[in-house]
Amino acid sequence: MNVPARYTTGYLGDIGVPFDPAPMDYSAWFEVYLGGRWYTFDARHNVPRIGRIVIARGRDAADVAITTSFGSHRLKNFTVWTDEVTEATVVPAQPMLPALQQLVA
């Protein structure tokens, strides 16, 4: 079909979906370049989702290993949180201190 596409791996948040007691985990999806921009497609979930955290992009899973290690290793804990940011949760920017304004200028 001669359509540019890429494999993407990362975390898929649980925002806007029914509660699931299982912890969030690694996920994979693909992106296709159509009409001048990249579009995300997810064959596993097949519905639009909020909160994708991209770790890497490549031709396939072999291009974007999340970890590569040699020898013995043990990951004891790794947690990722995703929170929806709404207009109500955005904190307005604070004005710069005069001394800092002079440094930036």
Side-chain angles (χ1 to χ4, degrees):
M1 294 178 70
N2 203 24
V3 176
R6 59 191 180 193
Y7 173 91
T8 307
T9 187
Y11 293 97
L12 183 55
D14 52 7
I15 299 169
V17 296
F19 174 75
D20 184 351
M24 183 174 66
D25 201 356
Y26 298 116
S27 190
W29 54 92
F30 65 98
E31 297 172 338
V32 178
Y33 193 77
L34 298 170
R37 66 171 279 229
W38 289 97
Y39 290 88
T40 299
F41 294 91
D42 189 336
R44 178 179 177 198
H45 298 285
N46 202 26
V47 293
R49 296 281 297 266
I50 302 169
R52 293 180 191 274
I53 302 171
V54 174
I55 293 177
R57 293 182 173 106
R59 296 170 296 180
D60 56 29
D63 275 354
V64 293
I66 293 173
T67 62
T68 302
S69 61
F70 301 94
S72 179
H73 65 279
R74 172 180 254 149
L75 178 62
K76 293 184 178 187
N77 190 358
F78 191 89
T79 305
V80 175
W81 288 274
T82 58
D83 295 309
E84 185 174 9
V85 177
T86 63
E87 199 171 314
T89 60
V90 175
V91 177
Q94 300 297 319
M96 280 196 237
L97 297 173
L100 185 57
Q101 286 177 336
Q102 290 175 353
L103 291 173
V104 174

